[in-house]
Amino acid sequence: MMKQPLVQMRGIVKKFPGVVANDHVDLDLFAGEIHALLGENGSGKSTIMSILAGLYKPDAGEILVDGAPADFGSPRDAIDAGIGMVHQHFKLVEPFTVAQNIQLSERDGAFLLSDAAIRQEIKAFETRFGLAVDPDAPVWQLSVGEKQRVEIVRMLYRGSRVLILDEPTAVLTPQETAELFVNMKKMAAAGCAVVFITHKMNEVQEVADRVTVLRGGKVSGTMLCRDVHAQELVWLMVGREIVLNAERCASGQCGGEILSMKNVSALNDSGRPGLSDLALSLRAGQIFGIAGVAGNGQKELAEVLTGLRRTETGSIQFLGENVTGMSPSELIARGISYVPEDRLGMGLVPSLDAVENMLLKSYTHPEYSHGWLINRKAAEAKTAAVVQQYNVKLAGLSQPVRSMSGGNLQKLLLAREISEHPKLIIVVYPARGLDVGATESIHKLLMELRDQGAAILLVSEDLDELMKLSDRVGVMFGGQIVGNFPIEEVDLEEVGLLMMGLFRPKEERIHGDGR
Amino acid sequence: MGEQAFYIAILSSAVIAGTPILYAALGELVTERAGVTNLGVEGMMLIGAVSGFMAAIVTGNSWIGFAAAMLAGGAMGLIHAVLTVSLRANQVVSGLALTLFGTGLSGYLGKSYIGIPVAEPFRGVSLPLLGDIPLLGPVLFRHDVLIYLSWAIVLALWFFLSRTRAGLNLQAIGENPGAADSLGIPVFSLRYFYVIVGGMLCGAGGAYLSLASAPSWLENMTAGRGWIAVALVIFALWKPGRALVGSYLFGGIDALGFHLQAAGVHVSHFFLQMLPYLFTIAVLTIVMARRGGRLAAPGSLGIPYDREQR
Ligand SMILES: Nc1ncnc2c1ncn2[C@@H]1O[C@H](COP(=O)(O)OP(=O)(O)O)[C@@H](O)[C@H]1O
Ligand SMILES: [Mg+2]
């Protein structure tokens, strides 16, 4: 490529308390290319692009746009230079409608808001790029895929020439991903530079023209995609060889029944049936995988088991004791642990440090408290040991955990739960948003726990993960477990149909057709 | 006094009693829409009341007094903005400090002004035609200019919030400053601006007390109206029109007590003075219970914004 790059970033350095997020990063972006930015979680992908978008100020380095030095003091300056970014966590005002959100980005618009004009523009993007959005829908009602589309339309609407998409596929279904890729190609063909952040190798090879790999804040390589093999990318990404598609791990010996749920029903947040007549049995040393499309009762199941949601009917037996309707603390005391989907919102307290987060469940234990005083020394020692043992990377024991990367948060959370020696642990989407390396360590932790004889209820949307870890797989649909197979008998096609609610076991189908 | 005249008198004084609360509530509303909680309303009103009064006495012109009150309120707003927007101090603490500060300072400044009458307080003007409508005329259209001005502000604010680009930006910085910032909306300067405007309106509310409804200066003359305004904004769900209705409701309860007493009904005067505050507690309880504790509050209310924080 002999052309002048649209954007050149030279020697960018960005430090956060305790971490160097970007360490002398160089990056060129050309018009018309899809440039993938590949790297593990915490490797600094979002940071380098937030700098280009004017959100973060670099500590060193320079940015050239069209060959001329640019100094971005605020996102405004970057927008004026034609740079647009769809952030990993969407920057949408939830109570506003789609049209209002798009209007927000207009700089020199008229004093009075005009709905007609914006509608026309939105329509234009629909015809040109096939990006359909409903201008009158309030954003909070949209699915993640739709929200992403609104973000993209908004970015195009401002006339951005550099389009940055931060992990856009993490929240999409395979169909939506395919659609997004088509759109990205159209946008590149229209002369934009498209930056595509991801940690999935196959996606890089599917859409990108060039790829830059980041590792630990440094660029470990930039190359043309057609010249490179997946294995090589992995190596650049993690600096060590990881066996892709690891073998299924042999399960330990199953022990006696730990949990038994019968005819359990519960309501969901909007007061409609969330679980209906659910039955489930779990044994010691068993991983029971729950497959299913999100929103079919997985959350309600986890919450009923942890005492966070009321059981309407039915009974839950835990180690032979009826625990129906017990409070979370009673269940914790009996050895039930929970790793929720929302790590930072529910699992950990973002503004507290690692030690305090470790203490959240055990602050009443005599080793950490003298009556009404906390023994911080003991807690620190314990946390330091756990952090070492589970290889959790953090800026410091007394830094708020909110600045940790997703993989390390998950390790810390899991470490806290495991150190309580649970008899039953409910783990929801444990690897969501994690890179290969972190996913691998989380899986290892779960398997170790199983080998120690704990029962694990693993809720996941990733069938590969379920196939790899589970001893039994149950499929949830409409608040019920509609299929329940030992791992050897799982037929992925059947599971897929069950997940969509399209398949029922034969005897039942006879009744089903009668309706 | 005829029965009808009695009701007209109550309703008309409800409007007067509600107006200082209305100004302050509008000020709080603007500030909170920008995502900043302001518990300094009471102090801002007192500073407004005393500085407006002093300026009116010194210059002999109540309009200059009113302007001075707004300036003083704006200055209090500026302090709040520096503390909460730039230094990211806890907004509750900063607000409480401003209330304490305003109460003390106004008492000190006003010492030598106690008992002096204002030369030209704002007086009722009957609006042509409107003032002659039976019932409605005397209740609504024979008031002083500041009341008509407050209606204009309610209308303007409603229009601003619902129809203009700048109004949309204001709501965006209160709902999700991170999103607004990434779109190039200047979150910091806008928050400054609206916190100051809010302070000015609170100052105006104070001046209404000392220059119009009871033209004089008394130490601590707001007597908790600032706190009522804070609660009222929640009741009003951050909407200007509802703030107007709510203010007059509170004004009505205030006026009712006064008129009952004047009519010789034997109720303890302490009880009557307590009524507006009882009503505040009742209203808050009802609003909270009805909405299950979930309010339509601006999404980032009370949270300082830091661009590089996540
Ligand atoms: N706003 C922030 N405050 C403190 N630390 C941060 C912030 N943003 C990122 N970091 C840290 O910088 C590193 C790089 O993070 P990030 O750019 O988000 O990685 P990626 O997007 O590749 O997952 C991580 O260690 C992360 O914890
Ligand atoms: Mg990221």
Side-chain angles (χ1 to χ4, degrees), chain A residues 41-42 45-47 88 166-167 197:
Chain A
N41 270 303
K45 307 181 296 293
S46 300
T47 303
Q88 204 167 351
D166 195 350
E167 307 222 4
I197 301 183

mmCIF file of all heavy atoms in Angstrom, chain A residues 41-42 45-47 88 166-167 197, ligand 2:
data_model
loop_
_atom_site.group_PDB
_atom_site.id
_atom_site.type_symbol
_atom_site.label_atom_id
_atom_site.label_comp_id
_atom_site.label_asym_id
_atom_site.label_seq_id
_atom_site.Cartn_x
_atom_site.Cartn_y
_atom_site.Cartn_z
ATOM 1 N N ASN A 41 -7.930 -10.251 26.601
ATOM 2 C CA ASN A 41 -8.524 -9.231 27.465
ATOM 3 C C ASN A 41 -7.437 -8.536 28.252
ATOM 4 O O ASN A 41 -6.532 -9.171 28.766
ATOM 5 C CB ASN A 41 -9.493 -9.877 28.441
ATOM 6 C CG ASN A 41 -10.871 -9.921 27.868
ATOM 7 O OD1 ASN A 41 -11.418 -8.890 27.510
ATOM 8 N ND2 ASN A 41 -11.410 -11.112 27.740
ATOM 9 N N GLY A 42 -7.542 -7.217 28.328
ATOM 10 C CA GLY A 42 -6.558 -6.482 29.098
ATOM 11 C C GLY A 42 -5.290 -6.176 28.320
ATOM 12 O O GLY A 42 -4.340 -5.647 28.874
ATOM 13 N N LYS A 45 -6.524 -3.074 23.855
ATOM 14 C CA LYS A 45 -7.204 -2.763 22.600
ATOM 15 C C LYS A 45 -8.165 -1.593 22.764
ATOM 16 O O LYS A 45 -8.139 -0.635 21.988
ATOM 17 C CB LYS A 45 -7.984 -3.994 22.108
ATOM 18 C CG LYS A 45 -7.161 -5.259 22.009
ATOM 19 C CD LYS A 45 -7.973 -6.432 21.486
ATOM 20 C CE LYS A 45 -9.117 -6.871 22.384
ATOM 21 N NZ LYS A 45 -8.704 -7.465 23.667
ATOM 22 N N SER A 46 -8.999 -1.672 23.779
ATOM 23 C CA SER A 46 -9.976 -0.593 23.985
ATOM 24 C C SER A 46 -9.258 0.713 24.296
ATOM 25 O O SER A 46 -9.686 1.784 23.865
ATOM 26 C CB SER A 46 -10.920 -0.927 25.135
ATOM 27 O OG SER A 46 -11.615 -2.105 24.866
ATOM 28 N N THR A 47 -8.175 0.609 25.050
ATOM 29 C CA THR A 47 -7.471 1.821 25.449
ATOM 30 C C THR A 47 -6.896 2.554 24.243
ATOM 31 O O THR A 47 -7.098 3.762 24.097
ATOM 32 C CB THR A 47 -6.344 1.474 26.443
ATOM 33 O OG1 THR A 47 -6.921 0.784 27.557
ATOM 34 C CG2 THR A 47 -5.643 2.720 26.923
ATOM 35 N N GLN A 88 -17.331 -0.695 23.556
ATOM 36 C CA GLN A 88 -17.683 -2.030 24.026
ATOM 37 C C GLN A 88 -18.950 -1.956 24.877
ATOM 38 O O GLN A 88 -19.847 -2.767 24.766
ATOM 39 C CB GLN A 88 -16.520 -2.545 24.858
ATOM 40 C CG GLN A 88 -16.406 -4.020 24.963
ATOM 41 C CD GLN A 88 -15.041 -4.411 25.529
ATOM 42 O OE1 GLN A 88 -14.150 -3.583 25.687
ATOM 43 N NE2 GLN A 88 -14.878 -5.664 25.837
ATOM 44 N N ASP A 166 -15.620 -1.788 18.824
ATOM 45 C CA ASP A 166 -14.940 -2.466 19.930
ATOM 46 C C ASP A 166 -15.689 -3.732 20.327
ATOM 47 O O ASP A 166 -16.778 -3.660 20.900
ATOM 48 C CB ASP A 166 -14.807 -1.521 21.127
ATOM 49 C CG ASP A 166 -13.807 -2.049 22.145
ATOM 50 O OD1 ASP A 166 -13.373 -3.209 22.003
ATOM 51 O OD2 ASP A 166 -13.463 -1.299 23.085
ATOM 52 N N GLU A 167 -15.120 -4.868 20.001
ATOM 53 C CA GLU A 167 -15.708 -6.181 20.275
ATOM 54 C C GLU A 167 -17.189 -6.243 19.901
ATOM 55 O O GLU A 167 -18.026 -6.601 20.729
ATOM 56 C CB GLU A 167 -15.518 -6.549 21.748
ATOM 57 C CG GLU A 167 -14.067 -6.427 22.157
ATOM 58 C CD GLU A 167 -13.585 -7.560 23.030
ATOM 59 O OE1 GLU A 167 -14.369 -8.494 23.265
ATOM 60 O OE2 GLU A 167 -12.425 -7.516 23.451
ATOM 61 N N ILE A 197 -12.226 -4.663 16.556
ATOM 62 C CA ILE A 197 -11.554 -5.224 17.723
ATOM 63 C C ILE A 197 -12.186 -6.556 18.082
ATOM 64 O O ILE A 197 -13.419 -6.685 18.106
ATOM 65 C CB ILE A 197 -11.669 -4.265 18.930
ATOM 66 C CG1 ILE A 197 -11.032 -2.921 18.578
ATOM 67 C CG2 ILE A 197 -11.017 -4.869 20.161
ATOM 68 C CD1 ILE A 197 -11.037 -1.936 19.724
HETATM 69 MG MG MG C 2 -11.800 -3.985 25.585
#
